[in-house]
């Protein structure tokens, strides 16, 4: 079993190299400088670019307005240019200066202002022309000067676009609001029309009912007027001889009245004679009653017994019985004759009245006959007019039915149309107008958020600083130990020993770098332990690659390290997405290690490790192992000393 030469282990080789570099004050300072190189590069750059968008208020910009204003659709004076200018100046997004147009042009040319936004004379008139249906496109003038700074011009274009979008939303919202207010007005008027149509339909329905009743009445009128005309015609023909007959009746009534008067006069004379007879008979009865009483008294005075007195009186009463009967008949006849005389007088009076009435009838009969004739003619005309009215009412009923049906359709149509007309309340109308003016909103759901511009660049600059740190280490470190090679140590030990010193210093570099980036610069790291572990792996892989280049190619390896640095800067996708690089650089992005270092840092700084980071770790581990293997091959080649190895043509 062969013994291993003393001082040829990989760790001893690395320790000897580090001891060599720290033998003296300047070498120690140089070592410290090597460790701080990535820190100075990445931390200062990230500090300088930590949040440039948060300091845009330091960027001088100018705005001017020549807007003359205009009247909006309601007749109100508006100066949108003035409104926009005031909003820009008061927003403090930039260091705004409101100046004249000439001063603005001179300022952007001389570099006093980074860019200028100008509002022309007809700005308000063009914007408000939409409300008057005379659309014109308003313009905003953006003046930039790339000789001042290219990015400031790019930012200015974004600002101008945002101003344009804001103005468009504002004007569009106002126009949409007026449009919706018009809908509300239309809704109100249509609602009134709908109410009127409903009332019209109700009235038309009532009119149809009334028209049906009128048509029925007209039909009855036509029928009745026909009957009346027929009856009056019959009456007319029947009363043709009425005047002559009334004359005859008057004459006869006069003769009857005369006769009735004579009868009444005769009956009155008879009644008067009967009254005299009745009076005389009544006197006789009175006298007889006195004689009877006197007779009874005389008999009593003569001493005739009472019974005999009564007997004599009774016989006397029997003797006057015919006289009493005759008196009763005379009195009855007298009452009957008085009644007959009164009745005769009434008959005479009635006959006189009949005679007078007949005389009046005889006088009015011609007029009555003429009136009946005229009534008959009028009834005929009424019959004809009623027939026409009946026919017209039939037509009117048809028209009324059409009116009722049409008004019902109008009512239903207006009611249905009213439901289709928007009538939003004020909050809904405002929200709708804003939505019409700006119909699409962007909701950002960031799976991972860097937070600041500096944090977004951190993966790129940490990876870049790690490569630069690995590169500068070999400005002092020797990739392969000459002592170990001359001692006959195995190439693998020599390679690992030469790499270990750079690996330890690289680990120190990334630890110091991460401490400064997180604590001093303020870059937030989502998973610190994972990020530091991954940074150590990146440093080990980068130092392995740079070590291999220096070991295998010597002084040329340092140049190749710079070349690889440049190639990785343009292909790693550290600033813009790597898909935006030219197609010819795609293979470099896939092959070179910095692409995977940046990708891994992004996952760990923002969201934490995922399964995708395993691929980054695998590639970097492969570069680590590949670098050691290439260094081992270089150590094997260096075991054979050549003139070029003892005295190289180029030494860096």
């Amino acid at each position: 079993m062969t013994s291993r030469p003393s001082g040829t282990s990989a760790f001893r080789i690395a320790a000897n190299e580090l001891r060599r570099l720290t033998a003296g004050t300047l070498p120690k300072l140089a070592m410290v400088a090597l460790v701080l190189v990535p820190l100075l590069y990445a931390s200062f750059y990230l500090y300088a670019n930590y949040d440039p968008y948060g300091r845009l208020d330091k960027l001088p910009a100018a705005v001017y307005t020549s807007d003359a204003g205009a009247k909006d659709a309601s007749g109100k004076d508006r100066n949108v240019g003035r409104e926009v200018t005031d909003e820009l100046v008061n927003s403090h997004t930039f260091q705004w200066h409101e100046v004249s147009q000439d001063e603005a042009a001179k300022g952007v040319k001389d570099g006093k202002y980074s860019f200028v936004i100008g509002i022309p004379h007809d700005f308000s008139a063009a914007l408000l022309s939409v409300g008057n249906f005379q659309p014109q496109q308003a313009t905003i003038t953006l003046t930039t000067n790339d000789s001042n700074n290219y990015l400031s011009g790019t930012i200015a274009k974004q600002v101008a676009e945002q101003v344009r979008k804001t103005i468009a939303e504002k004007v569009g919202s106002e126009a949409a609001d007026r449009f919706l207010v018009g809908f509300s007005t239309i809704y109100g008027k249509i609602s009134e029309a709908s109410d009127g149509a409903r009332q019209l339909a109700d009235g038309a329905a009532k009119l149809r009912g009334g028209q049906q009743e009128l048509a029925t009445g007209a039909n009855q009128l036509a029928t009745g007027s026909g009957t009346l005309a027929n009856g009056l015609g019959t009456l007319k023909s029947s009363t043709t001889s009425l005047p002559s007959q009334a004359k005859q009746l008057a004459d006869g009534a006069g003769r009857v009245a005369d006769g009735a008067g004579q009868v009444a006069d005769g009956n009155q004379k008879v009644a008067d004679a009967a009254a005299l007879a009745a009076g005389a008979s009544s006197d006789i009865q009175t006298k007889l009653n006195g004689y009877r009483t006197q007779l009874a008294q005389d008999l009593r005075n003569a001493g005739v017994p009472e019974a005999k007195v009564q007997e004599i009186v009774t016989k006397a009463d029997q003797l006057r019985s015919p006289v009493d009967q005759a008196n009763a008949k005379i009195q009855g006849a007298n009452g009957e004759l008085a009644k007959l005389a009164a009745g005769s007088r009434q008959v005479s009076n009635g006959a006189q009245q009949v005679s007078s009435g007949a005389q009046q009838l005889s006088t009015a009969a011609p007029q009555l006959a003429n009136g009946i004739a005229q009534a008959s003619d009028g009834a005929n005309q009424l019959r004809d007019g009623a027939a026409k009215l009946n026919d017209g009412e039939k037509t009117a009923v048809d028209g009324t039915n059409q009116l009722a049906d049409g008004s019902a359709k109008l009512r239903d149509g207006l009611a249905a149309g009213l439901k289709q007309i928007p009538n939003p309340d004020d909050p809904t109308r405002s929200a709708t107008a804003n939505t019409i003016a700006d119909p699409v909103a962007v909701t950002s759901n960031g799976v991972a958020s860097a937070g600041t511009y500096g944090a977004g660049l951190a993966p790129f600059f940490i990876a870049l600083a790690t490569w630069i740190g690995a590169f500068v280490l070999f400005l002092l470190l020797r990739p392969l130990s000459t002592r170990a090679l001359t001692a006959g140590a195995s190439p693998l030990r020599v390679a690992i020993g030469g790499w270990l010193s750079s690996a330890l210093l690289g680990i120190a570099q990334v630890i110091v770098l991460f401490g400064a980036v997180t604590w001093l610069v303020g870059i937030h790291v989502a998973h610190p332990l994972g990020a530091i572990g991954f940074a150590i792996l990146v440093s080990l892989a980068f130092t392995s690659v740079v070590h291999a280049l220096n070991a295998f190619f010597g002084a040329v390896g340092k140049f190749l390290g710079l070349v690889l640095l440049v190639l990785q800067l343009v292909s790693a996708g550290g600033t813009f997405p790597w898909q935006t690089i030219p197609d010819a650089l795609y293979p470099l992005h896939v092959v070179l290690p910095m692409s995977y270092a940046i990708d891994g840092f992004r996952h760990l700084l923002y969201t934490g490790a995922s399964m995708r980071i395993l691929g980054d770790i695998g590639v970097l581990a492969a570069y680590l192992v590949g670098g050691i293997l290439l260094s081992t091959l270089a150590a094997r080649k260096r075991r054979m000393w050549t003139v070029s190895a003892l005295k190289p043509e180029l030494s860096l």
Side-chain angles (χ1 to χ4, degrees):
M1 182 176 181
T2 58
S3 60
R4 186 174 58 191
S6 176
T8 58
S9 69
F11 292 103
R12 287 184 180 275
I13 294 172
N16 291 333
E17 182 65 16
L18 292 175
R19 193 178 300 114
R20 180 184 70 83
L21 292 177
T22 57
T25 302
L26 288 179
K28 290 178 181 179
L29 293 175
M31 287 286 290
V32 173
L34 291 177
V35 172
L36 295 179
V37 166
L39 169 66
L40 297 174
Y41 181 81
S43 62
F44 275 104
Y45 197 95
L46 291 176
Y47 173 73
N49 294 276
Y50 179 73
D51 189 15
Y53 293 105
R55 294 179 59 81
L56 290 178
D57 58 342
K58 306 297 182 182
L59 188 65
V63 59
Y64 69 87
T65 176
S66 303
D67 191 7
K71 292 184 181 295
D72 59 14
S74 63
K76 180 181 178 182
D77 289 327
R78 291 284 301 276
N79 192 315
V80 183
R82 183 72 268 161
E83 296 173 11
V84 172
T85 302
D86 292 340
E87 289 181 8
L88 286 176
V89 173
N90 295 328
S91 67
H92 303 296
T93 52
F94 294 88
Q95 192 182 97
W96 288 106
H97 299 271
E98 184 179 355
V99 297
S100 66
Q101 183 175 357
D102 295 337
E103 186 178 353
K106 185 176 183 300
V108 76
K109 182 178 181 181
D110 297 341
K112 182 179 180 180
Y113 306 122
S114 297
F115 60 90
V116 172
I117 290 180
I119 300 176
H121 177 80
D122 60 346
F123 188 71
S124 292
L127 280 178
L128 301 177
S129 62
V130 178
N132 301 323
F133 296 97
Q134 296 175 348
Q136 303 176 37
Q137 190 176 39
T139 59
I140 294 177
T141 303
L142 173 65
T143 305
T144 60
N145 187 353
D146 288 348
S147 63
N148 296 331
N149 187 287
Y150 174 74
L151 288 180
S152 65
T154 303
I155 294 172
K157 292 177 183 178
Q158 296 177 355
V159 172
E161 176 60 24
Q162 184 62 38
V163 171
R164 185 205 65 78
K165 183 175 180 294
T166 301
I167 296 173
E169 291 176 6
K170 180 178 181 180
V171 175
S173 177
E174 293 176 355
D177 186 73
R178 289 195 299 270
F179 182 69
L180 293 176
V181 167
F183 266 126
S184 297
T185 303
I186 293 173
Y187 182 91
K189 296 303 182 183
I190 294 297
S191 178
E192 294 177 2
S194 178
D195 294 338
R198 184 172 62 252
Q199 295 174 358
L200 176 63
D202 295 340
K206 293 179 181 179
L207 176 62
R208 176 164 58 183
Q211 195 68 45
Q212 291 286 357
E213 295 178 359
L214 182 60
T216 303
N219 187 35
Q220 294 174 352
L221 176 63
T223 304
S225 61
T227 303
L228 176 63
N230 293 332
L232 287 175
T234 302
L235 180 62
K236 177 182 178 181
S237 60
S238 300
T239 56
T240 303
S241 61
L242 179 62
S244 59
Q245 293 175 351
K247 178 63 176 173
Q248 295 175 0
L249 176 62
D251 294 340
R255 289 193 294 270
V256 170
D258 293 340
Q262 294 174 359
V263 171
D265 293 339
N267 287 337
Q268 186 62 44
K269 293 178 179 180
V270 173
D272 293 339
L276 292 174
S281 179
S282 296
D283 292 338
I284 293 172
Q285 284 293 323
T286 303
K287 291 178 178 180
L288 286 177
N289 289 335
Y291 290 157
R292 180 179 180 277
T293 303
Q294 187 64 42
L295 175 62
Q297 188 62 39
D298 290 339
L299 287 176
R300 290 185 188 99
N301 294 331
V304 178
E306 184 63 32
K308 193 66 176 177
V309 171
Q310 293 297 329
E311 181 180 355
I312 293 172
V313 170
T314 302
K315 287 182 178 180
D317 290 339
Q318 291 176 352
L319 291 175
R320 63 175 286 190
S321 174
V323 177
D324 291 337
Q325 293 177 355
N327 179 65
K329 291 180 178 180
I330 289 171
Q331 294 296 331
N334 180 54
E336 293 296 327
L337 288 174
K339 292 179 181 178
L340 177 61
S344 296
R345 181 57 58 190
Q346 291 177 350
V347 170
S348 175
N349 293 335
Q352 289 293 334
Q353 293 176 353
V354 169
S355 176
S356 298
Q359 188 63 38
Q360 293 175 355
L361 175 63
S362 176
T363 302
Q367 297 177 352
L368 176 62
N370 292 332
I372 292 174
Q374 293 175 357
S376 178
D377 296 339
N380 290 331
Q381 295 176 356
L382 175 63
R383 178 192 59 198
D384 297 339
K388 294 179 180 179
L389 175 63
N390 186 36
D391 295 338
E393 279 302 316
K394 292 179 181 179
T395 305
V397 167
D398 294 338
T400 304
N401 289 332
Q402 294 176 357
L403 173 63
D405 295 339
S407 60
K409 292 180 181 179
L410 175 63
R411 176 198 61 199
D412 297 339
L414 285 175
L418 188 63
K419 296 178 181 179
Q420 303 299 322
I421 299 175
N423 184 32
D425 54 21
D426 290 343
T428 304
R429 185 178 68 246
S430 179
T432 304
N434 293 334
T435 302
I436 293 174
D438 188 17
V440 180
V442 177
T443 301
S444 298
N445 296 316
V447 178
S449 176
T452 63
Y453 181 75
L457 292 178
F460 173 59
F461 284 107
I462 291 174
L464 181 60
T466 304
W467 181 274
I468 293 174
F471 179 81
V472 298
L473 287 177
F474 289 97
L475 295 179
L476 296 179
L477 292 175
R478 293 181 302 186
L480 298 175
S481 173
T482 304
R483 181 179 178 183
L485 289 172
T486 56
S490 73
L492 180 60
R493 293 195 193 98
V494 174
I496 293 176
W499 167 72
L500 276 178
S501 57
S502 63
L504 294 174
L505 292 174
I507 292 172
Q509 287 177 336
V510 295
I511 291 175
V512 173
L513 173 61
F514 256 86
V517 167
T518 55
W519 295 333
L520 297 179
V521 179
I523 302 297
H524 175 71
V525 179
H527 298 275
L529 295 179
I532 291 175
F534 185 76
I536 291 174
L537 174 61
V538 171
S539 178
L540 295 178
F542 285 181
T543 53
S544 176
V545 172
V546 176
H547 173 257
L549 292 175
N550 281 274
F552 197 87
F553 296 104
V556 177
K558 292 182 176 61
F559 175 74
L560 294 177
L562 288 175
V563 173
L564 282 179
L565 174 62
V566 174
L567 293 177
Q568 292 181 116
L569 285 175
V570 299
S571 65
T575 52
F576 289 93
W578 68 268
Q579 292 87 350
T580 61
I581 63 176
D583 294 347
L585 299 179
Y586 277 17
L588 295 178
H589 174 80
V590 176
V591 171
L592 297 179
M594 191 178 291
S595 304
Y596 301 93
I598 294 172
D599 184 69
F601 279 129
R602 283 173 176 160
H603 283 277
L604 291 166
L605 264 62
Y606 306 149
T607 62
S610 63
M611 294 301 295
R612 179 177 172 181
I613 200 174
L614 295 178
D616 300 327
I617 293 174
V619 172
L620 292 172
Y623 266 100
L624 171 60
V625 174
I628 292 175
L629 292 178
L630 185 60
S631 299
T632 302
L633 180 59
R636 181 181 296 278
K637 289 177 60 178
R638 291 284 296 273
R639 294 178 68 179
M640 297 180 62
W641 294 94
T642 61
V643 175
S644 60
L646 294 174
K647 190 176 182 181
E649 296 181 7
L650 179 63
S651 178
L652 296 176

